[in-house]
Amino acid sequence: MKMGIKIFDTTLRDGEQSPGVSLSVKEKLEIAKQLAKLKVDVIEAGFPIASPGDFEAVRSIAQEIEGPVIAGLARATKKDIDRAWEALKVATKPRIHTFIATSEVHMKYKLKASPKEVLDRAVKAVKWAKSYTNDVEFSAEDAFRSDKDFLCEIFEAVIDAGATTINIPDTVGYATPVEFGGLIGYIKKNVPNIDKAVISVHCHNDLGLAVANSLAAIENGAQQIECAVNGIGERAGNTALEEVALTLNTRYDYFDIDTDLNLKEIAKTSRLVSHLTGMDIQPNKAVVGKNAFAHESGIHQDGVIKERTTYEIMDATTIGLKENKIVLGKHSGRHAFKEKLKELGYQLAQEELDSAFKRFKEVADKKKEISSFDLEAIMEDEISQVPELYQIKLLQVTSSADIATATMQMVVDGKVVNESACSEGGPVDAIYDTMNRITGLDCKLVNYKIDSVTEGKDALGEVIVKLEHNGELFIGRGISTDVIEASAKAYNNAINKILASGN
Ligand code: KIV
Ligand code: ZN
């Protein structure tokens, strides 16, 4: 029988634990929709007990996303599991994913519990989760640094208690491929009831070995790989979904293993996750980096022109990398706009369409030719919007090498406010000082990033800012052909997110 590997995507849970990342419910839902198009087997939508926002995100994803199993994380406690189930119960295919640490260092210092207590808690948690749903995953946190025989004992016990998937994480990214593969083989051989559960692995990338370790696990019997788009996640991140997928696909001759993934959605998923999380993809990143299919040396270019496979082991079209074609213009109407969005995979309700069309017209007035990448940027900008309690009405900036002045008119909760500020730090600084005066919010700009969506003089500029407010991070985005305006919009978006959060 042909081997198949399940792809468990944790972009929205472990990925969202990346430093500086915080996604709104709407943004998480959009990523989940894209993950469903990519046809991952499982979407880990969040950690419901962690915050009301996490709970709401898991609940909406469970309610709206059809196709993949929807998983929610829970520590091995009744309270966590109850909360996870409350969020997941509306899903067609819910999974409770419960975990407890099994390494000596975690049990002794973090849990202050003996191995026996940990085993009892794990079994109780699985039984409790099982009272809600048949699909229960159990993770032994820090498994790689745990005693092998204790791991086997706890896995045997949780499978007896009803766990349908057992997950073996290398939580701190300490393993090397041969060792990690060996551990999977050992567990497979020494857990008597292992055939009653799916063997899963979850690797972190602290030493840059997460993908290699996951592949070694596959060769030793793992049947599910936990991974995140663009490899995002705690610290150095998780196993990169696209790298595992393309390795299995490109080296099918070696692995002979299938996934159900729709590889053509990889490039789009990667761009969406990068844009909404504000986490850049390094240009030389395997598979999805800007340079992954670029050939710089003359010898390579010559070779590829003569025969692509001289220097390319993958075809860019496999991951859906298409040319950025001009798709619409200044005079395009609502119908053409809707059709193009449909082609790009966006299905909008009437209200959403109206708002996106308005934004499209604003851009098209200035830009004339709108490409598919521009449309994606417009849609991502739409997704990031929250109700605008603060609205920018007028923005005027004068700037010299020494000083910049910004004058703004904003509507604040229905009232018009005019304000201005000068700064020696340039026009963007002057704008942000003005907005701080208007809002009175005590927030700190921790990151400012500007990029162009396409090339050329009239390219759309995209600004992403990260603001810290009361210890929490808020991401704001703004797009415009005028980068000063995009900067103001990004800041305003973040401010409105702060207000929406009630923080
Ligand atoms: O890294 C880890 O151990 C985890 C578990 C909760 C699966 O993320
Ligand atoms: Zn993890």
Side-chain angles (χ1 to χ4, degrees):
M1 205 177 70
K2 209 126 194 82
M3 262 281 283
I5 287 285
K6 301 259 171 245
I7 299 293
F8 175 115
D9 179 274
T10 187
T11 307
L12 296 172
R13 200 276 298 166
D14 212 318
E16 218 239 354
Q17 285 171 225
S18 304
V21 170
S22 120
L23 295 165
S24 68
V25 173
K26 211 159 121 199
E27 289 165 337
K28 285 186 187 172
L29 195 53
E30 201 56 32
I31 291 176
K33 279 187 199 159
Q34 183 56 33
L35 290 170
K37 279 192 208 152
L38 178 62
K39 288 194 183 301
V40 301
D41 298 285
V42 185
I43 295 176
E44 186 165 48
F47 191 0
I49 203 155
S51 71
D54 248 47
F55 177 87
E56 194 42 41
V58 178
R59 207 195 52 78
S60 333
I61 292 169
Q63 184 141 43
E64 296 211 15
I65 305 297
E66 289 291 334
V69 169
I70 309 298
L73 188 67
R75 283 166 299 191
T77 68
K78 193 167 174 292
K79 208 165 107 203
D80 273 39
I81 292 167
D82 288 344
R83 190 76 176 142
W85 181 246
E86 198 51 38
L88 288 167
K89 65 184 181 195
V90 284
T92 320
K93 292 188 258 173
R95 171 180 298 183
I96 297 176
H97 176 191
T98 186
F99 74 100
I100 191 162
T102 50
S103 64
E104 203 187 317
V105 63
H106 276 242
M107 292 191 289
K108 186 167 168 195
Y109 295 105
K110 188 179 81 176
L111 300 175
K112 296 186 190 346
S114 68
K116 167 89 179 65
E117 281 166 327
V118 166
L119 191 139
D120 287 348
R121 278 198 225 168
V123 167
K124 252 198 203 151
V126 168
K127 283 189 177 156
W128 187 245
K130 200 75 183 175
S131 70
Y132 288 127
T133 173
N134 186 46
D135 192 344
V136 175
E137 173 166 335
F138 170 78
S139 282
E141 192 191 10
D142 204 15
F144 182 71
R145 293 191 301 168
S146 305
D147 178 83
K148 275 185 186 174
D149 295 318
F150 177 54
L151 268 186
C152 290
E153 195 186 337
I154 202 165
F155 284 142
E156 183 182 353
V158 294
I159 294 171
D160 271 346
T164 41
T165 300
I166 54 121
N167 185 35
I168 305 154
D170 178 19
T171 303
V172 291
Y174 187 67
T176 61
V178 172
E179 284 176 295
F180 195 64
L183 175 66
I184 307 311
Y186 188 87
I187 289 167
K188 202 171 165 189
K189 201 163 145 217
N190 291 289
V191 176
N193 52 1
I194 197 72
D195 57 322
K196 297 204 176 71
V198 168
I199 303 175
S200 169
V201 294
H202 174 112
C203 296
H204 278 269
N205 204 32
D206 298 66
L207 296 172
L209 293 172
V211 171
N213 289 339
S214 302
L215 294 170
I218 291 178
E219 290 189 89
N220 285 278
Q223 299 143 309
Q224 172 179 283
I225 300 296
E226 301 201 353
C227 45
V229 175
N230 300 336
I232 64 171
E234 280 275 358
R235 306 181 309 280
N238 287 86
T239 300
L241 180 150
E242 62 283 356
E243 292 179 24
V244 169
L246 265 287
T247 304
L248 294 178
N249 180 261
T250 309
R251 295 307 312 277
Y252 196 76
D253 59 321
Y254 177 72
F255 287 98
D256 199 17
I257 281 174
D258 291 306
T259 68
D260 283 336
L261 290 173
N262 177 3
L263 298 181
K264 290 250 180 274
E265 294 292 334
I266 290 230
K268 186 168 177 206
T269 314
S270 162
R271 279 200 302 273
L272 180 72
V273 169
S274 168
H275 291 164
L276 294 187
T277 57
M279 283 187 80
D280 285 344
I281 302 169
Q282 75 199 59
N284 61 328
K285 161 92 172 63
V287 183
V288 290
K290 230 185 196 152
N291 297 349
F293 294 94
H295 300 279
E296 185 66 26
S297 105
I299 297 173
H300 288 207
Q301 286 171 353
D302 181 56
V304 169
I305 290 167
K306 287 178 178 146
E307 166 53 43
R308 189 186 59 77
T309 55
T310 50
Y311 287 101
E312 267 188 19
I313 57 164
M314 299 172 270
D315 187 337
T317 58
T318 309
I319 59 164
L321 257 186
K322 292 185 209 112
E323 273 178 65
N324 182 30
K325 289 202 201 100
I326 305 303
V327 288
L328 293 170
K330 185 177 158 130
H331 300 294
S332 303
R334 188 181 291 266
H335 183 70
F337 177 69
K338 188 176 169 187
E339 284 308 305
K340 279 297 159 202
L341 284 185
K342 219 161 141 195
E343 268 174 40
L344 290 173
Y346 297 101
Q347 304 272 11
L348 304 188
Q350 192 56 44
E351 210 180 294
E352 293 168 323
L353 182 71
D354 291 346
S355 163
F357 186 65
K358 190 165 156 254
R359 208 163 269 265
F360 159 72
K361 278 294 182 190
E362 281 164 16
V363 174
D365 260 352
K366 292 183 188 149
K367 200 174 178 292
K368 321 276 184 277
E369 289 179 331
I370 303 291
S371 69
S372 48
F373 283 10
D374 289 325
L375 276 186
E376 274 182 16
I378 291 170
M379 289 314 299
E380 282 157 9
D381 201 48
E382 269 295 294
I383 293 156
S384 299
Q385 294 309 310
V386 288
E388 282 202 317
L389 276 175
Y390 285 70
Q391 283 169 25
I392 300 171
K393 285 292 171 197
L394 293 171
L395 168 65
Q396 194 183 56
V397 178
T398 53
S399 174
S400 72
D402 302 315
I403 193 145
T405 310
T407 306
M408 297 184 74
Q409 183 178 82
M410 290 182 73
V411 176
V412 178
D413 231 351
K415 264 200 252 128
V416 175
V417 183
N418 296 312
E419 191 54 89
S420 66
C422 298
S423 169
E424 290 171 8
V428 173
D429 203 39
I431 292 170
Y432 292 175
D433 282 351
T434 309
M435 292 172 88
N436 284 348
R437 286 185 184 182
I438 293 175
T439 62
L441 285 176
D442 180 20
C443 47
K444 189 167 135 219
L445 179 68
V446 288
N447 202 288
Y448 172 92
K449 191 167 72 87
I450 184 159
D451 214 344
S452 74
V453 173
T454 46
E455 279 142 25
K457 259 197 339 208
D458 66 349
L460 264 186
E462 178 184 56
V463 173
I464 296 181
V465 294
K466 282 185 191 161
L467 299 192
E468 192 186 313
H469 184 255
N470 287 345
E472 233 191 276
L473 278 178
F474 294 85
I475 298 176
R477 68 172 43 249
I479 55 164
S480 171
T481 48
D482 174 347
V483 294
I484 295 291
E485 186 178 291
S487 304
K489 283 182 168 176
Y491 203 78
N492 194 45
N493 181 229
I495 285 173
N496 278 301
K497 283 186 178 169
I498 293 175
L499 294 174
S501 78
N503 170 307

